[in-house]
Structure formats: C-alpha cells, structure tokens
Amino acid sequence: MTAVFRLLGPIAVLEEGRELRIGAPRLRTLLAALLVNANQTVTATELVQWLWGGEPPARPQGALHTTVFRLRALLGPDATLRTVAGGYRLDLPPGALDLDRFRELAAAGTVEDLTEALRLWRGEPLTGALEHPAVLDQRAVLTEEWLRVTEQLVDARLAQGDHNELIAELTALTKQYPLRERFWAQLMLALHRSARQADALAAYLELAKLLREELGIDPGEEIRRLHHVVLAGDGPGDDLDPDTEVRPVQPPPDWQVHRQLPIEIGDFVGRHDEADAIVDRLTSPSGVPVVAISGPPGAGKTALAVRVAHRLRDEYPDGQWYVRLDGARDSERDPSEVLRALLELAGAEVLTGDADTLSARLRSLLVDRRVLILLDDAKDSQQVRPLLPGTRHSAVLVTSRNELTGLSVLDSALCTTVAVLEVDEAVDLLRAVIGSARVDREPEAAAELAKLCGCLPLALRIAASHLAAQAGDSIASYAEELRAGDRLFALSVAGEPDAAVEVAFDRSYEALVPESQQLFALLGIVPGPDVTAPAAAVLLDTTLAVARRLLDTLVTANLLVRQRDRYCMHDLLRLYAARRAAVHPAAEGAWLRLCDWYLRTADAATQFEYMPSVRITPRLSDERMFVLAAEARQWLEDEEAGLVAVIKRASEHGPQETAWRLADVLRQYLTLNHRVDPWRTAVLAGLSAAQTTRDLGGQGAMLHSMGALQFVSGDTAAAIASAEQAAELYQRAGFGLGHAALLCNLGMAHDDQGDSARAAELLERGIAGLREYDSPAAMVNALNSLSNVECNLGNLDAALAAADEAMTTAPDVRSRTVAMFNRGVAYRLLGDLEQAERDLGQAALSDDESLPLQYEAALLYADLGYLEEAESWARRALTRSRGNGQPWHEAAALNALGTIYRRRGRWNDAVRCHQAAGGIARSNGHRATVAESVLGLAEADLGQGQRDRAAELARQALLAARRLGHRILACRALLLLAVLEPAGGHEAEAAALQQATGFVARAS
C-alpha cells in the first residue's frame, strides 16, 4: 500500500493507516523540505537552509548526507528518495501528498471541492519542523494558500446565497486575521445582504480604525466602494462583485503620451524571481506601486528596471517616463529640477515654487492617470520622495546604488537588492553575447571567465565584447590574460567611461564620506573572505560602535553584503579595495594591528578546548575574550578561512612570526576537527615563514604540526621524517618538553608502520622525559599511545596499566575519554565484554566522537551480537573518514564493516570491504591494516567454502603478524588455520599465545 504524506498540520507519514514515528525534528524538517518540492530536485544549499538556518555546521554537506541517510532508512526501501545531480529528490505518486490533493481540489473551484480541500488541513502547516527562516517562509506561503482558498469558498457560498450562514464564520476570520481586508469586505457583504446595514457599517468603521491605528492607512478601494453601496442604502439583493476593477477616468484628449523607456537589452539573462516580484507589486490592487532596486555598481539594476518597465507598458497607457537622477555622480539632480521636467511632460505650465509646491502639482495632474515613472540612479530616499504620485494608478520604479530603506519604512515601497549573477547565469550571458557554439566549445574556460569577472553583469558584458571583437581568440587565452594582468584595467572599453568596471567603482567610492572611504580601502588588506565588526574596529583603531556604523554605510552603498554578523564583497570589489589599500597611508599600521588581534583572539579561543599538551607558543594574553567554550568554538569555526588567509599573507608579506605562531596556535583546533586541507595550507605557509627568519623553534613547531598532519593523512613515512626533524630543532632551540613529546609521536608513527616494538621503546623514552616536566596533558597523551601499542603487541595487562594511569593523570574530559576508550579495547580483547561495553559506552557519550571509537564500538557490538547497532557504528566511521581525508581510518572502518558482514553471512559484501581496506592500507603503508584485511578475506573464503584459498590467506596474515610482532593478530590467524588444517599443530600454538596474552577469541 502506498504511503500517505501530510504537511497541512503536523508532519506525518501514514503506512496502511498507521502513523510512522519520526522522532527527530531535523528528520521531520528534511521530510517537509522534500515534500514541499515533491517530484522536483531540491538543492543541497536549500536543504541546509531548511535544516540549520543561518548557522550551518562546519561541514554541512556531510551532515546533510547523514540526515538524508537516516530519513531514507526510516522511510524504508519502498520510498523513492533519490540522490540526483545537484541535490535530492523525493518522488511521489498522485494522491500521496495532502498538499497536492488540496491544490487539485482548490483548482476545481466548486463549493464541494473547496470544502473538501479545506478539510485536509489539520492545523498549522509544517508543525513539528525546526523553526528556521526557510520553514517559516514556507509556512507563510502555505498559510496564504489556505487563506486564498478560504476566500474563494466564501465567495462561492455568497454567490449561492449563504449570506446569513457565513456571518459567524467571517466574524471569526476577521478577528483571527484583522488586517486582511478581503474577509472584512466579505463580512460586510454578508451583513448587507442579510439586511443588517448598521452592522455592515459598524464593521467598516472597526476596520478603518484598526488600519489607522496599526498601519496609518485608510481601507482599500474595494472595501470603500462597498461602504458607499451600504451607505447609499442599495437593496440587499444588489449583486456587487467585489473583484470588479474600477478603471480610472480616461485622460482628456489634450494629454500627451510620452514613451521614454530606454531600449530593452535583448540578451538579458537571469533575475526571473526579482522581475516577477516587481511586476506582482506594481500590478497588485492593494500594494503601494513603488519599487526600489538597489545593488552594487555594475550589477545590472537599470537593465532589470528597463526590462520590467517594458513588460508593464500596456498596464500604463498614459505614458512611461524615464528620468536620470545622477545620484552616483558628483552632483545629483535637485528634486525641484526633476519635478519641473515631469510637470512639463504632464502638460502643465512650468511653475516656480519650492519642491513641496511642485510635488503637490504633479500629484494633482497624475491623480487619474496611469503612468509608469522610472527614476534611474537615485542618491537617496529624500531625492525620490517628492517625485512620487499620490494614487495607486501610477507606479514608480527606482534604481540606486544605495539601499533606499527610507522608501520602505515611510512610503511602503518594495525594496529589492540585486547581487552578482550565479555562475551558470553568468555563462548564459556570455553565451548570449558571443554565441552558444563558442561557449560550448570551452565550457570550463567560460565558467572560469565568469568567475574572473566576479559574475558582475557589467564586467561580463565588457569581457564578452572583447571576445566578440577577437573572434579568433580562445576564451581560455583571454581568461588567462585577465588572470595574469591588471583585471580592473582590462575590464573597460576604450573611449567609453560608462563601460569600465573601475570607473563604476570609482563613482561609488567617491560618493562615500571620508571615514567610509578609509574603511573600504583598509578592507582591501583583509585576506579572508569576509570580516566582522570587531575586525573592522581593529583596522580603524576605533570603537566597535563606530566600526558598525561605517560598515553599515558600505552596506547601504552596496559595496558590502551583510550576512548575519559578517560582511563580504564580491571579487572585483575586493581587487578594487586592495588597489585603494596599496596607496593608503594607514594600511601598514592597520595590517599589523589586524595580525596581532587575530593571533591574540585565536589564542584566547583555543584555551577552552583546543590547547595542545605541548606548544612552543606561550599563552599570549590573560584577557578573557570569550565567556563560554561554545562561543570560542563558534568564533574559530566562523573565522577559520580568514585565519588561514592571514597566515598565508603574513608568510608572504610579514610579519613572519605571526604566520608560524598563528599556525601553531590553531594546530589542535585543526587536528581535532579533522580540517586537513586548511591545516596543510596553514602549516606550509607557517613553515615557509619560520624558514625565512631562520627561527629554530618556529621551524620545529611547523614540522611538529606537519608530522601530525601527515600521520592522520596516512603518510606515515613522511610523518616520521618530519617528527625527527622537529625533535632535533626543538632540542637545538632548548624546548625539552617538545623534544620528549615528539619522541612519543615518533613512537605512534612507528606503530602505525607496523614496528610496534620500536614504537614501545620510543614511547618509554618519551614518557621518561615527560616525567621531568609538569605537563599532565602531554603525559596522558603518551600513556594513551603506549596503551594502544601494548594492545597491538599483545601485552594486554601492560595496556590496561597504561590506560589506568592515563585515566588518573588526565587533566580534561577528552584525555580521560581516550584513556577509557583504550581500556575498553583491552577489555574487549581480554573477553570482558561487559566492562568493555561500560568503558566504550561511556567514551561514546563524549562530544568528541573519534573515528577509532566508532569502529571499535562496531567491533564490540559485533562481539556482543548486536549486529544492526554494530553496522550503524561502522557506517558512521566510514562516512566520517571518507569526508575527512583520513585513509587509514577509512581502511579500518572498512575492515570493521567486513567483520560485521561476515557475522551476518553476507560474504560477498565482506570480501568487497576487506579488499577495499587492503588496497587503501597498501597505498598508505599501513602493514597491520593490510594484514587485518587479508585475515578477513581468509575468514570470508572459509564462509564461502573456499578452504584452500582461505588457508593460503591465513598463512599470509600469520606471517605478516609475526613480522609486526602483533601477537593478537597472529593468534587469530592460528585459530583460523586450526579450523582449516586440524593436523597442523596450529591450535596448540594459538592456545600458547592466548595463555601468554590473555586474549579471548570470538567467533567470526
């Protein structure tokens, strides 16, 4: 039976009449997003907005994938939730979704169908979803649909004479939606037709008072017309159609119609949503027909306005006027001058008088006219306001580089902002100008060119014009020319100052007050993708309040875009700001202040959760910049890209010490969050900086970090080489604690390569050195590593002892969690599954859910027989390891998943997992993981009856385990051989190893 999905009330799924439980709000939200867009692709970006609003996790794609996986598992195999190009898609058959059924019935339009449609609603739509903006917006859309269908049903019932029956229902609706005039009009009509004229008039007066008090406006034309009908005492049987449009009086014969719109651009692309929203507002019978379009210079504001104006020409038969206001130039046009020009267009004598007098005259002349006025390039709301008509019959379109918020607040205008184009739209613009064939021959180069132009329409048109003039040049060669040269200069047309990106930027910059000009220029030295108000305050060496005010002036001028509490600019504006910064006298001092602020703030942020046990950079300040760990963590996540960019710029331009110290400060944050790519960028730049200044300690710190990065990335040989160099540099720099700690790191690396005996020796030397220092964090890390090595060697009692000491030494929850994890692993190998489950279960409660914990938990639950839970843990480990670029952990997770498949008798799946694990481990030099995969393949072959091949593989695993000194692995191989070759003496040898190690084997 097909499942039934409900959105019109609490989100629900019914299978055979029984509701499927969806406990997690995020799963309900994901389901709602897919259902609202059923049978359509929903992009990952849209889903992230639904699920996390403006605060997505650090790795939103991975988190989204996990959530989709959970929903898919919950809906079952029959659900057609598919991963498609660009996002996800939930396919539903007709009638499976209440929203689709609602719309189908509403479209039918009969009283019966409309009544049935509204019965499908069971409360507020999307109940149970997370209250993020995307959800709230969609809920508002659905609620509006309900209101329109309700109005439609009331109209239909009024038409069939249900006047008296509707009065109570409409009275309730006007109380619930007091500002919705349509319900009041319907109530007045029902009262009027029920011979209750006094009540109808009272309803009108109640609405009029409400609108004046709440919004400062009068009732709309439709309800005023109905009010006059009631006042006139027309009989209740009169048929008044509330939807009848009242056309204004036709213009007198001497009215001259002026059609002044500029030519419409034939190759206009994109902006469909913006254009539709503008048309809807200007043609709405109730909305104020004034729209202001703002955006950065070169974004195509005028092109959009002209396109919309041409679409609306037939709506405004009395004329379409076009006026340039020159707001971006040195001297904008005075409103009085513009008003005289408009009055002349209206056929009036040119009058003297102030702006108020001229404005009143214009409003009088336009009172019954339908004229569209396009005011291009306004400076501010004050320049525009005197030019507005006084009735809804005429409409005004305004463009401006500045946000005209005043028009929205005081004049109820719709303000819309146009940004740069999306990359695919930018490529479409290139295609429209230079031809599809040329773009299609070089699609990647076209996309690269679009990005080099910042997807700015003006820049794209200039670039396209150059290409059109050079038909023999390739797009790739022109893109390379732009990349290598002066991009701002290149994006211009000789002899055409209005066709130059830099000139457009100059005009916006020169219109700023000096303080805003200075901030804009200094933003050109910020290397990261965005900036915050505190960083801007540091650049200017001013207060936070002043910085916020000046940032807002740049937002208003559309030179910055605000995203929550962060500010960014598009690529070409960043180039322009950098050019301004290069000649600004305050730039050098601002950069040094910014470097110092980033370093000290990052140091303060890492004190909560990301202070490593060993760090050559001392604590830089006792100032408490953050109150809570979550606040500090959020700052690091938000600033990560900017911090890495500062490291790179400081490495190249100075101060070099800031570069390597900032990389050193961020090491633990990048490590624990598995931020492999930014970590690599930071450490390479930091190492270059330390080498430039020949700083031994700095070079040691960077090679220390590099070795850790190489280790988690699976390049153990390189990790050992880096750690050895770092240990020597630390020793030469007099940093003994770092030298001892790196001996321990080297021990971990040698264990990873399979030399566990050498690893134990290095760890014991390092631990001896650490005992000379008061560094419990470094000591507990070393003890945890020693516990892991002793497990590999089969010294399970020694492993327990090291884990126990680590637990008593641990200075924080995370270190104690790792020690508890190590102890749980030892207990699992000793056969004490109850104690192992207690330790691993307790460790799993930690927020820091490490990858080894996940696949070890999988093996524990497999030993306990909880195979479904075991598979869940293994899959989580596999998903995370693949997303974080850690092949060693990916191989271990695959081996764990293969073990679980063997326990379930899924031999082919087990073979695939072990083969994949072996391939990954071989390419990264992880000999122990290779041996584990070979033993897994042997056990899978036995399960499939391939005894000879299983025996050969088991012997290979045994040989590898002996070379590694891994007695537990050797014991498991011997136990398998004892089954395959009962007369080979393997059972006795395995028993001896079990006796020596205490290992208790579990059935595979």
Side-chain angles (χ1 to χ4, degrees):
M1 182 177 179
T2 303
V4 174
F5 297 87
R6 291 178 174 176
L7 287 177
L8 306 180
I11 299 164
V13 181
L14 277 67
E15 289 185 342
E16 298 182 354
R18 297 174 60 185
E19 184 170 343
L20 185 66
R21 185 177 181 277
I22 309 174
R26 188 157 281 119
L27 289 182
R28 290 196 295 270
T29 307
L30 173 60
L31 178 61
L34 293 165
L35 289 174
V36 165
N37 301 281
N39 303 313
Q40 303 175 59
T41 297
V42 191
T43 68
T45 301
E46 291 173 307
L47 291 175
V48 167
Q49 288 296 317
W50 274 75
L51 296 176
W52 291 282
E55 299 181 356
R59 291 168 292 281
Q61 292 289 349
L64 174 60
H65 178 79
T66 300
T67 309
V68 170
F69 176 80
R70 292 173 60 199
L71 180 61
R72 189 178 280 133
L74 188 146
L75 294 178
D78 294 335
T80 52
L81 171 50
R82 298 187 290 127
T83 302
V84 296
Y88 298 90
R89 176 187 177 110
L90 180 60
D91 290 326
L92 298 180
L97 178 62
D98 59 355
L99 177 59
D100 290 344
R101 179 64 178 152
F102 167 75
R103 288 169 173 166
E104 179 185 346
L105 290 166
T110 68
V111 170
E112 293 75 15
D113 288 327
L114 293 170
T115 302
E116 182 63 25
L118 293 173
R119 283 200 189 105
L120 293 172
W121 286 69
R122 297 166 295 107
E124 186 178 58
L126 308 182
T127 296
L130 295 166
E131 298 291 304
H132 291 314
V135 176
L136 300 179
D137 290 347
Q138 187 61 49
R139 182 176 292 150
V141 169
L142 294 176
T143 301
E144 178 63 27
E145 286 193 51
W146 179 85
L147 289 167
R148 288 180 179 175
V149 173
T150 301
E151 291 170 349
Q152 189 180 353
L153 176 59
V154 170
D155 284 340
R157 292 181 62 192
L158 285 170
Q160 69 181 19
D162 295 344
H163 315 130
N164 195 55
E165 294 86 344
L166 282 167
I167 290 173
E169 183 178 337
L170 285 166
T171 300
L173 286 169
T174 57
K175 300 304 179 188
Q176 189 175 358
Y177 303 97
L179 299 181
R180 198 168 183 90
E181 292 188 34
R182 185 68 173 152
F183 286 143
W184 287 96
Q186 290 171 326
L187 175 60
M188 287 178 62
L189 191 59
L191 290 166
H192 174 60
R193 289 178 176 174
S194 300
R196 293 173 59 178
Q197 281 80 358
D199 290 333
L201 292 173
Y204 176 82
L205 293 175
E206 183 180 351
L207 171 63
K209 180 182 178 183
L210 178 69
L211 292 176
R212 280 194 299 272
E213 291 176 351
E214 294 290 330
L215 304 177
I217 62 173
D218 293 325
E221 184 176 344
E222 173 194 341
I223 202 163
R224 290 203 310 272
R225 185 171 65 248
L226 181 56
H227 179 229
H228 289 311
V229 169
V230 177
L231 280 174
D234 292 341
D238 293 325
D239 185 14
L240 176 66
D241 182 358
D243 290 324
T244 301
E245 181 183 4
V246 178
R247 295 283 297 175
V249 178
Q250 291 298 312
D254 60 349
W255 175 267
Q256 292 187 359
V257 176
H258 298 278
R259 305 188 187 279
Q260 300 180 324
L261 294 179
I263 189 170
E264 183 179 4
I265 297 174
D267 49 19
F268 187 93
V269 300
R271 314 294 194 204
H272 304 296
D273 292 342
E274 294 92 335
D276 289 345
I278 295 169
V279 169
D280 287 346
R281 168 54 74 95
L282 296 183
T283 57
S284 168
S286 57
V288 175
V290 179
V291 175
I293 305 171
S294 65
K301 303 177 290 295
T302 300
L304 174 61
V306 169
R307 184 172 185 82
V308 169
H310 277 283
R311 280 178 61 179
L312 294 171
R313 281 182 306 176
D314 293 343
E315 297 287 332
Y316 297 95
D318 299 335
Q320 304 95 44
W321 300 349
Y322 174 81
V323 184
R324 279 195 61 85
L325 298 181
D326 294 334
R329 299 184 183 272
D330 293 336
S331 55
E332 71 277 6
R333 295 182 68 182
D334 184 85
S336 296
E337 174 197 346
V338 178
L339 282 165
R340 291 188 185 95
L342 294 179
L343 286 168
E344 187 174 352
L345 286 174
E349 296 181 6
V350 178
L351 303 174
T352 59
D354 60 14
D356 288 343
T357 302
L358 297 174
S359 180
R361 177 62 174 153
L362 179 66
R363 291 195 298 273
S364 297
L365 290 171
L366 294 179
V367 68
D368 288 325
R369 307 288 193 251
R370 293 186 68 82
V371 175
L372 175 64
I373 307 174
L374 200 168
L375 304 174
D376 194 18
D377 194 19
K379 179 182 180 181
D380 51 32
S381 301
Q382 286 76 17
Q383 188 187 24
V384 171
R385 188 167 290 111
L387 313 179
L388 299 180
T391 70
R392 289 195 176 96
H393 299 148
S394 292
V396 179
L397 261 174
V398 188
T399 73
S400 177
R401 297 187 181 196
N402 301 314
E403 290 185 348
L404 304 184
T405 310
L407 286 182
S408 173
V409 174
L410 299 179
D411 303 284
S412 299
L414 170 67
C415 291
T416 185
T417 301
V418 293
V420 297
L421 297 171
E422 297 294 334
V423 173
D424 57 346
E425 293 176 327
V427 172
D428 284 343
L429 179 53
L430 293 174
R431 182 178 283 109
V433 178
I434 66 175
S436 296
R438 196 169 175 188
V439 170
D440 291 342
R441 281 196 300 270
E442 300 180 81
E444 293 181 0
E448 176 64 16
L449 176 59
K451 293 173 185 176
L452 287 168
C453 291
C455 294
L456 188 71
L458 175 60
L460 288 161
R461 289 189 177 279
I462 293 170
S465 71
H466 286 314
L467 282 169
Q470 303 293 332
D473 289 356
S474 69
I475 299 174
S477 63
Y478 180 66
E480 181 56 35
E481 181 183 328
L482 278 183
R483 186 187 301 105
D486 185 337
R487 211 185 315 170
L488 291 175
F489 177 78
L491 291 171
S492 62
V493 176
E496 292 286 350
D498 286 338
V501 170
E502 190 166 12
V503 171
F505 291 171
D506 282 340
R507 289 173 179 165
S508 289
Y509 177 80
E510 290 160 3
L512 299 171
V513 298
E515 295 88 348
S516 298
Q517 286 182 344
Q518 181 181 15
L519 175 57
F520 179 82
L522 294 182
L523 289 175
I525 66 175
V526 177
D530 52 24
V531 72
T532 60
V538 171
L539 285 172
L540 291 169
D541 198 17
T542 189
T543 65
L544 192 59
V546 170
R548 284 194 175 118
R549 177 176 59 79
L550 293 176
L551 284 167
D552 285 341
T553 66
L554 297 181
V555 172
T556 299
N558 281 295
L559 294 173
L560 281 183
V561 176
R562 184 194 295 110
Q563 296 174 338
R564 292 190 295 151
D565 59 345
R566 310 189 72 79
Y567 301 82
C568 62
M569 59 179 72
H570 69 70
D571 289 347
L572 290 179
L573 273 173
R574 285 170 61 82
L575 280 177
Y576 180 75
R579 179 168 293 181
R580 289 282 181 180
V583 296
H584 200 287
E588 183 177 356
W591 169 242
L592 293 176
R593 284 194 305 274
L594 187 68
C595 285
D596 182 69
W597 177 78
Y598 267 122
L599 179 57
R600 290 180 177 277
T601 309
D603 176 60
T606 56
Q607 297 299 320
F608 289 88
E609 300 173 304
Y610 302 114
M611 188 66 185
S613 57
V614 175
R615 193 181 83 177
I616 197 169
T617 300
R619 185 165 181 175
L620 300 174
S621 174
D622 292 329
E623 182 181 356
R624 191 172 178 82
M625 298 184 183
F626 301 96
V627 177
L628 301 173
E631 179 188 2
R633 187 189 319 120
Q634 190 64 56
W635 186 87
L636 288 166
E637 291 175 0
D638 292 344
E639 297 289 347
E640 181 186 293
L643 289 164
V644 173
V646 167
I647 293 169
K648 288 181 63 179
R649 191 177 195 274
S651 176
E652 295 167 1
H653 304 289
Q656 275 78 21
E657 185 178 354
T658 293
W660 72 258
R661 286 203 183 276
L662 185 52
D664 191 37
V665 164
L666 293 175
R667 168 165 51 93
Q668 190 79 341
Y669 161 76
L670 296 170
T671 302
L672 295 183
N673 288 288
H674 313 292
R675 305 293 294 138
V676 172
D677 290 335
W679 186 3
R680 181 177 294 107
T681 301
V683 76
L684 287 172
L687 180 59
S688 175
Q691 289 171 338
T692 298
T693 57
R694 294 187 171 89
D695 191 304
L696 295 179
Q699 292 178 65
M702 293 300 94
L703 286 166
H704 179 176
S705 186
M706 177 67 78
L709 171 62
Q710 291 163 335
F711 180 73
V712 301
S713 300
D715 193 352
T716 310
I720 290 174
S722 295
E724 286 174 344
Q725 293 179 64
E728 180 187 351
L729 287 163
Y730 274 164
Q731 193 169 38
R732 289 169 59 193
F735 187 38
L737 175 61
H739 178 258
L742 278 175
L743 289 177
C744 297
N745 286 5
L746 282 165
M748 294 167 59
H750 278 287
D751 180 61
D752 188 42
Q753 278 206 318
D755 192 351
S756 297
R758 172 69 170 150
E761 175 198 341
L762 287 165
L763 281 162
E764 287 166 358
R765 282 176 55 198
I767 288 170
L770 289 174
R771 294 194 190 279
E772 297 179 14
Y773 298 94
D774 181 20
S775 181
M779 178 61 77
V780 76
N781 286 346
L783 289 166
N784 279 327
S785 298
L786 182 60
S787 177
N788 182 59
V789 169
E790 298 289 17
C791 265
N792 289 337
L793 290 170
N795 301 326
L796 299 182
D797 289 338
L800 281 177
D804 283 334
E805 184 181 356
M807 287 189 65
T808 59
T809 308
D812 53 48
V813 173
R814 182 185 175 277
S815 300
R816 183 177 173 81
T817 297
V818 175
M820 193 175 299
F821 160 74
N822 283 331
R823 193 172 70 175
V825 172
Y827 277 128
R828 182 178 71 82
L829 296 174
L830 287 165
D832 190 347
L833 299 187
E834 184 178 346
Q835 182 61 48
E837 186 176 17
R838 275 199 295 269
D839 280 348
L840 290 175
Q842 188 66 31
L845 296 175
S846 166
D847 291 335
D848 180 34
E849 211 175 75
S850 70
L851 285 165
L853 171 60
Q854 292 179 345
Y855 52 72
E856 279 293 341
L859 294 172
L860 169 66
Y861 285 115
D863 285 350
L864 288 166
Y866 305 147
L867 296 182
E868 186 174 341
E869 184 75 7
E871 184 174 341
S872 174
W873 278 100
R875 287 192 175 281
R876 287 163 66 184
L878 185 59
T879 300
R880 279 194 59 200
S881 61
R882 283 174 171 167
N884 291 325
Q886 295 177 289
W888 175 27
H889 290 309
E890 182 180 354
L894 282 165
N895 272 333
L897 190 57
T899 299
I900 294 156
Y901 283 149
R902 295 199 315 269
R903 303 279 175 91
R904 305 187 94 160
R906 292 168 59 178
W907 307 111
N908 290 334
D909 290 333
V911 167
R912 279 194 291 270
C913 286
H914 289 308
Q915 285 176 338
I920 293 169
R922 283 187 187 89
S923 65
N924 289 276
H926 293 286
R927 293 188 293 160
T929 308
V930 172
E932 182 71 44
S933 71
V934 171
L935 184 58
L937 287 170
E939 291 174 332
D941 280 345
L942 174 60
Q944 292 178 305
Q946 303 289 334
R947 296 178 68 87
D948 291 342
R949 192 167 62 187
E952 175 58 29
L953 291 172
R955 282 191 289 272
Q956 291 178 27
L958 176 61
L959 179 61
R962 284 173 170 165
R963 286 174 176 169
L964 294 166
H966 285 200
R967 295 192 292 172
I968 302 297
L969 185 58
C971 183
R972 289 171 50 211
L974 285 165
L975 289 170
L976 179 59
L977 283 168
V979 175
L980 292 164
E981 300 171 349
H986 305 301
E987 186 173 2
E989 195 175 352
L993 278 177
Q994 287 183 295
Q995 179 68 30
T997 61
F999 170 60
V1000 176
R1002 295 283 163 179
S1004 61

